């Protein structure tokens, strides 16, 4: 009989209870080291210059749905807190992504990338051509922060702890390898190099302070595992559709060049 | 610039408005013919005897999460209707899947299949080893029937119109090709051959009677497309993990034989 023994190297109940905040942080970093999507084969292809323009288009098109859902997700997180201070702290995340009248935010920076790749911004905004798996994974993230505890909602953002490395690799790798990528369109990632560490530090300190029992610390770890799955599923779907070559009915098909 | 032209052969707004119930039914059948998961390469492999026991285990394990979520989905659908008659009609779907004290339902019949395949029923019930994409797709279905109109909630069940053919192929193909499959474990599908047509006819007549404007008929079609995506994503994820050979972190890994 097959069993659950393989299930999780970092999140299963068979591991030692998390007795304090330091043990929690260690486990969170182990989860990132085992499950963050920098380990996904699609990222090796993307950063190593192994994709063609159509495949990079598909990645940017699908990732737009994730980017443009983040302020919605963060508004749901914000709505979970009765204390003003957490709301004020969390609000700047929405501002980072949405910008303001007369100033661009992360979503517009992402559209610079997709436009630079030759995609019509109206088509990108419509999200019509994205993979259904992208939509299901991203929507699952929005639903998660609504349906789980406020502590878990914050914990699910902790993938940002591991983001700076991947953004640095991406900026360097994509500029080096693709003649259709120039520094202007990479501004999203350069900006996130400043924003993500601040956000991640707040969230890490929050969960270390507010997860006060082993069970709560376990829930924090599970929220991070959930979020790594949200990211991983998106790359699995891109790989299957645009590297293995099985785009599902109705999804974006790159133009022939 | 890439555009949305490829988006949909059967569900886009560029097609003629659906002026009556017969036009709606024709469009629904076109959607099934273009998008139902009997067209997915994983099903060819499954029914044609091209999978090994571990791959069939992975399929049955993941599909259990879908099966066991159906009565939850149907309870949400039921909760959307104030009229008693629709509730009474819909309630038998929950009974079909859950059974009753002393009688088995569809979920237990599915566990006969997974047990027959050598999977520990406690492991299957835990859903710990399923692919994250399976969970996101199935949960999207439950959320859909809660968040969309009652009409769309019923419409999303219309994939049952196309189920009898696939169940017949599956029973014949799996019994013929796999020595680890015997008639006892296929009882789920034989039972669905009787149940699905009744359910599908009710739902089809319901949407034909209650979708009274072109926009409502369009919404019904979109609900069916959504549901075909829920099914397709599950097979894409199985193919990527267990045929292409990229199981994501934490997912079921078949034992070596």
């Amino acid at each position: 009989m097959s069993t659950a023994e393989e299930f999780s190297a970092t999140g299963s109940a068979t591991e030692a209870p998390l007795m304090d905040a330091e043990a929690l942080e260690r486990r969170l970093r182990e989860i990132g080291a085992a499950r963050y999507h920098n380990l996904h084969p699609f990222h090796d292809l993307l950063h190593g210059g192994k994709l063609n323009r159509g495949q990079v288009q598909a990645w940017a098109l699908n990732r737009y749905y994730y980017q443009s859902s983040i302020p919605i997700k963060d508004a749901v997180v914000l709505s979970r807190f009765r204390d003003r201070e957490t709301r004020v702290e969390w609000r700047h995340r929405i501002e980072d992504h949405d910008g303001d009248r007369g100033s661009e935010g992360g979503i517009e920076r992402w559209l610079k990338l997709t436009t630079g790749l030759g995609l019509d911004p109206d088509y990108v905004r419509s999200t019509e051509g994205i993979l259904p798996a992208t939509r299901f994974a991203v929507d699952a993230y929005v639903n998660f922060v609504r349906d789980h505890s406020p502590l878990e909602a914050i914990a699910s953002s902790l993938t940002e702890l591991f983001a700076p490395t991947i953004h640095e690799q991406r900026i360097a790798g994509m500029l080096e390898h693709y003649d259709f990528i120039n520094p202007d369109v990479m501004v999203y990632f350069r900006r996130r190099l400043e924003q993500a560490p601040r956000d991640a530090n707040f969230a890490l300190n929050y969960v270390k302070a507010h997860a006060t029992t082993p069970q709560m610390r376990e829930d924090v770890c599970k929220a991070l595992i959930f979020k790594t799955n949200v990211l991983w599923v998106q790359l699995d779907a891109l790989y299957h559709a645009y590297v293995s070559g099985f785009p599902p009915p109705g999804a974006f098909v790159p133009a022939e060049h």
Side-chain angles (χ1 to χ4, degrees), chain A:
Chain A
M1 294 264 166
S2 297
T3 68
E5 280 165 356
E6 314 89 344
F7 170 49
S8 169
T10 48
S12 95
T14 56
E15 292 181 57
L18 298 165
M19 298 312 289
D20 58 31
E22 299 318 310
L24 171 60
E25 180 170 347
R26 271 197 306 279
R27 179 81 66 85
L28 291 170
R29 294 191 183 279
E30 286 166 8
I31 291 169
R35 287 173 169 263
Y36 190 56
H37 63 171
N38 65 319
L39 300 169
H40 196 286
F42 192 87
H43 270 173
D44 288 341
L45 300 176
L46 178 66
H47 301 159
K50 300 296 185 345
L51 300 181
N52 61 36
R53 185 162 167 270
Q55 291 167 321
V56 178
Q57 284 179 327
W59 167 73
L61 173 73
N62 276 273
R63 175 88 184 188
Y64 174 82
Y65 188 67
Y66 177 75
Q67 297 299 143
S68 61
S69 297
I70 292 301
I72 296 167
K73 184 275 294 183
D74 281 323
V76 177
V77 174
L78 195 153
S79 78
R80 305 293 309 278
F81 286 88
R82 296 224 69 89
D83 74 291
R84 176 186 157 280
E85 274 183 45
T86 306
R87 289 203 306 271
V88 168
E89 164 59 34
W90 210 262
R91 196 178 65 208
H92 84 266
R93 292 174 177 246
I94 306 179
E95 295 161 2
D96 284 348
H97 279 87
D98 278 347
D100 211 332
R101 288 176 203 280
S103 77
E104 69 179 10
I107 295 174
E108 276 161 309
R109 285 182 208 113
W110 197 268
L111 284 170
K112 279 194 179 161
L113 173 62
T114 55
T115 302
L117 288 167
L119 293 166
D120 179 339
D122 288 337
Y123 176 62
V124 176
R125 278 195 206 93
S126 78
T127 77
E128 278 184 358
I130 68 169
L131 298 167
T134 302
R135 196 180 300 279
F136 296 156
V138 171
D139 292 353
Y141 188 24
V142 177
N143 289 326
F144 182 93
V145 300
R146 184 192 61 206
D147 295 340
H148 287 70
S149 71
L151 174 67
E152 290 164 291
I154 285 193
S156 66
S157 75
L158 284 168
T159 45
E160 283 171 337
L161 280 172
F162 320 114
T165 313
I166 207 172
H167 287 165
E168 278 169 19
Q169 290 172 342
R170 192 170 292 159
I171 294 169
M174 290 181 71
L175 285 174
E176 181 186 341
H177 293 298
Y178 298 116
D179 58 12
F180 49 85
I181 293 282
N182 64 60
D184 285 351
V185 305
M186 297 302 282
V187 64
Y188 173 85
F189 301 105
R190 284 200 304 278
R191 191 61 186 273
R192 289 302 294 163
L193 282 176
E194 305 153 25
Q195 294 169 343
R198 174 193 162 180
D199 291 350
N201 285 337
F202 171 81
L204 180 61
N205 290 333
Y206 185 95
V207 301
K208 286 170 76 175
H210 290 80
T212 50
T213 68
Q215 181 61 54
M216 290 168 88
R217 293 182 196 109
E218 202 67 53
D219 292 342
V220 165
C221 292
K222 285 192 177 139
L224 176 58
I225 290 175
F226 162 81
K227 173 65 175 304
T228 60
N229 287 341
V230 167
L231 299 173
W232 196 274
V233 161
Q234 292 177 65
L235 296 187
D236 267 0
L238 283 164
Y239 197 106
H240 183 65
Y242 299 109
V243 179
S244 299
F246 296 101
F252 170 71
V253 176
E256 302 286 336
H257 286 99

